[in-house]
Amino acid sequence: MLNKASGEALETLAVLREANCRSEITDALSGYVVSMIEEIATLAPDSDLLQDISAQKESTDRVSAVPGGFNNDRALKKAQIHIQHAEKLCIEMAQAGKLSVSRAKQFQQDLYWLHVSVFVEAHIQQGNYYLDRDDKLLAMSHYKHAKAMIARANVPQKQKQDYIDTIRELLNRARPSSAMAAGNLAASLEELTAKEKKEEQS
């Protein structure tokens, strides 16, 4: 039981570090895992299990943020599962007296925002990918998804503002340029004029 719980907590910790989660949260989770490992050491001091989980802990401690690491559906699903698991671990820590209830609630709010941010950034990256390839319609589709997620996010407006500004700028870049629009308008007017002339002549 402890083996499974500590292994899952370490996987979650690795994902949080990849997602550049606040160090206050990862430090608290790391401390919680250490307490589990100490319990395993007391119950089975010379076991392979202890060696395996200690090696996994060392490996997890070396994980660092991976910008753009969650850029496909599989990676996003993995992030979603582990961020939600981290929220449950915060409740566990509070119940075990390792975290105050107020800090556990704050951590849950921070993890909720991390979850939103991971998905928004993935859509922005995908949008940028298509914009670089001049596929403006697909780019706009991803930017609009990101915009909708930010709009729905249950956090203060101030917290959202940087994303709102970034997405607005990207949407403007992805829209057909005003010169093109003017060109299309001019072409349409010419076509209409030609049509009218033709009708007059007939």
Side-chain angles (χ1 to χ4, degrees):
M1 184 69 184
L2 260 178
N3 174 34
K4 187 172 185 287
S6 55
E8 285 173 354
L10 282 170
E11 280 180 46
T12 291
L13 189 53
V15 169
L16 292 187
R17 287 198 168 127
E18 283 175 21
N20 202 19
C21 181
R22 271 182 58 208
S23 59
E24 198 183 347
I25 298 174
T26 52
D27 289 349
L29 278 174
S30 184
Y32 188 44
V33 174
V34 167
S35 68
M36 289 189 209
I37 293 171
E38 283 168 354
E39 212 175 321
I40 293 169
T42 307
L43 296 168
D46 300 315
S47 65
D48 289 343
L49 161 61
L50 179 62
Q51 285 184 349
D52 290 347
I53 208 74
S54 298
Q56 191 181 344
K57 173 75 171 69
E58 280 177 34
S59 172
T60 302
D61 287 344
R62 289 194 295 271
V63 173
S64 55
V66 183
F70 303 99
N71 58 0
N72 59 58
D73 289 344
R74 190 163 171 264
L76 282 171
K77 187 68 184 167
K78 183 182 171 188
Q80 182 178 23
I81 289 165
H82 286 292
I83 292 170
Q84 285 170 348
H85 184 58
E87 290 182 46
K88 287 178 192 166
L89 290 173
C90 287
I91 296 167
E92 272 182 35
M93 284 190 278
Q95 288 169 341
K98 295 181 185 294
L99 203 59
S100 69
V101 173
S102 61
R103 277 187 87 205
K105 283 181 178 172
Q106 181 58 54
F107 283 3
Q108 282 187 296
Q109 284 173 359
D110 290 341
L111 287 164
Y112 163 74
W113 178 239
L114 180 70
H115 186 202
V116 171
S117 300
V118 163
F119 276 77
V120 166
E121 282 172 16
H123 276 298
I124 289 173
Q125 282 163 21
Q126 284 293 303
N128 292 346
Y129 172 85
Y130 288 112
L131 189 60
D132 287 345
R133 280 149 188 78
D134 210 32
D135 191 337
K136 291 185 173 182
L137 280 177
L138 265 176
M140 280 188 76
S141 171
H142 281 287
Y143 296 147
K144 282 178 178 176
H145 272 298
K147 185 181 177 182
M149 291 183 89
I150 286 294
R152 286 197 304 269
N154 190 19
V155 298
Q157 186 69 16
K158 190 180 171 187
Q159 202 169 342
K160 303 178 180 186
Q161 199 57 50
D162 281 350
Y163 277 129
I164 290 168
D165 294 342
T166 299
I167 294 165
R168 185 186 295 128
E169 193 180 314
L170 289 167
L171 277 167
N172 285 337
R173 280 177 56 199
R175 283 193 183 99
S177 68
S178 54
M180 262 181 66
N184 290 343
L185 178 65
S188 300
L189 286 170
E190 272 180 34
E191 196 180 321
L192 186 64
T193 308
K195 191 179 174 191
E196 282 174 355
K197 278 183 182 173
K198 197 175 177 185
E199 282 172 0
E200 282 168 17
Q201 286 166 1
S202 59

